[in-house]
Amino acid sequence: MTDTSAADAMRAAMTTQLLDMAGILQPIYDAADGMRAELVSRGWSPAQAEQSAGAWLTSTLASIGGAM
């Protein structure tokens, strides 16, 4: 394998892994968006809802990162 083909193979593998990760994370981001919208619909201020959903998202991503 030449240096160019090895680099191309690494780029392809990394691209695939990033797309896989995006597919795993998308439902979590969607849940945080839904949580924020639900809190606003229940009378929370947008800032409070954003902060709460952001805290949930941060802790969820940290727990996923810690499990890997």
Side-chain angles (χ1 to χ4, degrees):
M1 198 182 270
T2 66
D3 286 342
T4 303
S5 62
D8 288 344
M10 278 200 314
R11 275 192 291 276
M14 181 176 267
T15 299
T16 300
Q17 291 170 351
L18 288 171
L19 288 171
D20 288 345
M21 184 59 75
I24 291 167
L25 295 177
Q26 189 60 47
I28 297 167
Y29 290 126
D30 290 345
D33 286 341
M35 180 186 300
R36 181 180 42 78
E38 177 68 22
L39 291 172
V40 170
S41 76
R42 292 178 180 258
W44 288 45
S45 75
Q48 289 172 320
E50 183 74 25
Q51 185 175 13
S52 293
W56 176 85
L57 179 61
T58 302
S59 67
T60 301
L61 293 175
S63 69
I64 291 170
M68 292 183 158

